[in-house]
Amino acid sequence: MDKNLRDFFSYLNQSLPNNIDYRELSNLCLTLFCTIDILPEKFQSLELNKENLAILFSKIAKEKEIPSYPPIASLYGASFHNSYDKGHWLEVMASVLKLGNEPDIKEAERLLG
């Protein structure tokens, strides 16, 4: 992970509450996969492709102690990998296409304050 992505990880990790739940984190992942408009300007030039987002969210899930196999993961099409694995977050992002899941952008904005 390059310095810019490490800085972004730090920003997310510090901005998100310690008691964030899986649904909120999944919604944020979906939101950032669909749009980066909710981010501060200094992060808008980052290459936030699905691979980078999956790595970041797997680290955040572990840091925030999200359950490794949350019961509602199947709602996001993420049933085959634990939440600390980047494959889990790739499945969450794929749910936009497979299941038609749309993020709640307003909720994601509130999370980032």
Side-chain angles (χ1 to χ4, degrees):
M1 188 179 329
D2 71 16
K3 182 188 179 326
N4 292 330
L5 283 176
R6 281 193 306 273
D7 290 346
F8 182 59
F9 169 78
S10 292
Y11 161 75
L12 284 178
N13 202 33
Q14 291 172 5
S15 298
L16 298 174
N18 286 332
N19 64 345
I20 189 169
D21 66 25
Y22 177 80
R23 188 193 56 73
E24 293 168 319
L25 193 59
S26 295
N27 181 65
L28 180 60
C29 181
L30 283 174
T31 299
L32 293 178
F33 180 60
C34 294
T35 182
I36 58 169
D37 291 345
I38 68 168
L39 295 175
E41 191 173 318
K42 71 179 186 173
F43 295 121
Q44 295 208 1
S45 63
L46 287 178
E47 184 181 349
L48 292 179
N49 58 34
K50 66 183 180 184
E51 191 75 17
N52 287 337
L53 285 170
I55 291 167
L56 290 168
F57 276 84
S58 65
K59 290 179 182 288
I60 290 170
K62 189 168 189 174
E63 187 78 22
K64 300 295 185 184
E65 299 180 355
I66 297 294
S68 56
Y69 286 99
I72 65 168
S74 61
L75 296 176
Y76 295 92
S79 302
F80 300 107
H81 302 277
N82 84 47
S83 65
Y84 305 159
D85 182 50
K86 75 176 189 175
H88 181 92
W89 299 97
L90 290 169
E91 290 175 335
V92 167
M93 288 179 273
S95 75
V96 169
L97 303 171
K98 293 188 303 186
L99 304 173
N101 288 346
E102 291 187 29
D104 182 338
I105 295 171
K106 295 290 183 199
E107 179 183 295
E109 288 176 320
R110 280 191 301 273
L111 269 177
L112 296 178

